[in-house]
Amino acid sequence: MEVFETLAIKIPNAVLIDGVTEHSVDEVIHFLEQYGDIGRKVTIDSPESEFNNMLVAEYASGLSLTRLSQLLPHTFISDSGDKFHIESLSEIYASKVSGSKTNTYLADLKRIAKLSGRDYAEVLSEGMTQIRRSLAELNPETPVVAKPEDSKPPDSVFPPSVPASLPSKSPSATSGAEAQGGERHAASIPAADLNPPEVQRYVVEHVVRGGDSLLHAFHRLRAFSGKVPRPIQETDYDTWRSGVELALKDPSISDLQRTRLIRDSLLPPACNIVKHLSLDTPPEVYMKQLDSAYGTVQDGEELYAKFMDTFQDSGEKPSAYLQRLQVALQHAAKRGGVLEKDMDKQLLNQFCRGCWDNNLISELQLKQKKHNPPKFAELLLLLRTEEDREAAKTLRMKQHLGTTKQKATTNAQFANTGEETNLCTALTTLTKQLSQQMAAIQQQLAALTAQQCNVKPPVAACPASKPYGPKKVSKNPKPSVSSPKPGFCFRCGEDGHIKPQCENAPNSALVSAKRKQFDNKQMWQKQKSSTSEDLN
């Protein structure tokens, strides 16, 4: 505890945060600033201390910590899913210091009793009497009524620093003391010393506050921020609202606790919508504000039409499809699209209509149950049982057929090993036959070609030999006419160079004109060639 005194921290105005890292400090501080301004933040750097690497946030005013103390101890969950434990530093300091001081005080009383030779119970009784007087001076208006000494003090309530069982004389020792003439008498502690009213009040407040904390933790809601896309550690609005509805229907929770539950589970930007509302505002007002921002805006008819258009997806199990249908039907029922008494009938009808597994529907005789439809839980159990039975049967079939196929493959391997030589010989013979057939086909093709050209077919032994007889020479050979070349640049239209070597500016008009002249020249050249052929 010396580390807090060294840092000069105002313990009544500070909270201690465990588990904070450099990346998550801003999120925790943003949460704490909702209850008041923070004067300073100190990270404890003392390896010898049990509070090493913890963060101390000191409020500028004690009223801020008073507002926050209703939530403490509190576990804050960041956007990344990390958890941080926030606790009041004054309670930690008081429990640690008072506990150590009390133990030291009791050890001193034992040492005094041992050195003085007196009974420890007598010394402790005197110390308790002095404590009771000090308490009476602090609260003079509180009447202190001592009970008779022979009454047995209650076993359930004791001061935190006093052990439940005090040293007492054994029966044999008591009888020995009485035999010696009562030289030593058993010390008796008044019941008022063991159970003063201040201690009773402290115990009652501690129990009530502890019960309230347990109740708050039991009904804790999952975090919701309204961000898009939704973070992995958060839930969607419909699921979060279902948890709020359970808390609203619980009679053991007050409206103030419900409001605190809602505020604690909201993160920015969702918490900004209800930030202006006070803790005294009814939880229904909180939900109305959030519904206007994140609730569905479709009416019952549209949701019912969406339910009727919900069909089984590829690879989806029938049980998963039924659960998806149930969620869509509940949304439609909340908006008045379906009557609650007709929900089971509508669910079964749409399942038979949208499920593609007709064998399953026939096996369970679901169409015959439309007049008396089962509940959602009963129908879901029927589907899951049938799916499990079919999965087990399929597994047995795969195991059986897989073993048989493996044995057949092994036998085939042994058979093929002995026939490899014969297969190679057969392939060689087949290759030779195919080669001979291809040679014969080539000869026939050459003969047919020669007949069509009125040329004597070549001899089979010499396929490359020339035909017999002198060649026919044309009396008037055709003059070779070369096609004209453009002779101008396709970029600027000038003569003497080509486009890749052109450095002039583009001239599309000149290029188009010369292209037209060149096309006319080509057409004239073709007409001249055809006329020459006709004359020959």
Side-chain angles (χ1 to χ4, degrees), residues 270-317:
C271 66
N272 298 330
I273 298 177
V274 296
K275 193 173 183 180
H276 64 283
L277 300 177
S278 62
L279 290 175
D280 298 334
T281 306
E284 290 78 7
V285 178
Y286 278 82
M287 298 309 303
K288 186 176 180 180
Q289 295 280 343
L290 295 171
D291 287 339
S292 62
Y294 303 105
T296 179
V297 295
Q298 296 175 326
D299 58 4
E301 294 181 357
E302 294 179 353
L303 292 175
Y304 180 71
K306 184 178 180 181
F307 164 75
M308 295 298 295
D309 290 337
T310 304
F311 300 99
Q312 184 180 8
D313 296 332
S314 176
E316 185 180 22
K317 292 184 177 181

Side-chain angles (χ1 to χ4, degrees), residues 278-401:
S278 62
L279 290 175
D280 298 334
T281 306
E284 290 78 7
V285 178
Y286 278 82
M287 298 309 303
K288 186 176 180 180
Q289 295 280 343
L290 295 171
D291 287 339
S292 62
Y294 303 105
T296 179
V297 295
Q298 296 175 326
D299 58 4
E301 294 181 357
E302 294 179 353
L303 292 175
Y304 180 71
K306 184 178 180 181
F307 164 75
M308 295 298 295
D309 290 337
T310 304
F311 300 99
Q312 184 180 8
D313 296 332
S314 176
E316 185 180 22
K317 292 184 177 181
S319 58
Y321 171 59
L322 180 67
Q323 296 180 37
R324 194 156 55 88
L325 277 180
Q326 175 69 6
V327 174
L329 184 61
Q330 287 178 350
H331 290 169
K334 286 182 180 179
R335 305 290 291 185
V338 182
L339 299 178
E340 292 186 2
K341 63 178 182 178
D342 297 335
M343 289 182 62
D344 296 333
K345 184 178 180 179
Q346 294 289 345
L347 180 64
L348 182 59
N349 290 339
Q350 181 59 25
F351 179 81
C352 295
R353 179 171 171 264
C355 181
W356 313 124
D357 193 350
N358 294 326
N359 295 331
L360 177 67
I361 296 175
S362 300
E363 184 71 22
L364 298 178
Q365 298 181 356
L366 296 181
K367 292 184 178 180
Q368 287 76 9
K369 298 179 180 180
K370 289 184 177 181
H371 299 288
N372 187 17
K375 297 293 184 182
F376 167 72
E378 298 176 3
L379 182 57
L380 181 61
L381 181 60
L382 286 175
L383 295 178
R384 293 184 63 244
T385 304
E386 187 65 22
E387 289 173 358
D388 184 70
R389 186 182 296 110
E390 289 294 333
K393 184 178 180 179
T394 304
L395 181 61
R396 291 194 302 268
M397 180 182 68
K398 288 183 179 179
Q399 291 176 350
H400 176 69
L401 297 180

Side-chain angles (χ1 to χ4, degrees), residues 465-476:
S465 62
K466 297 180 180 181
Y468 295 99
K471 294 183 179 180
K472 295 182 179 180
V473 181
S474 176
K475 296 181 180 180
N476 297 320

Side-chain angles (χ1 to χ4, degrees), residues 19-36:
V20 177
T21 60
E22 295 180 358
H23 305 287
S24 58
V25 171
D26 295 337
E27 297 184 30
V28 179
I29 296 301
H30 178 71
F31 168 74
L32 295 176
E33 286 179 346
Q34 298 178 3
Y35 299 91

Side-chain angles (χ1 to χ4, degrees), residues 51 254 261 454 461 512:
F51 306 103
S254 63
L261 285 173
N454 296 324
S512 300

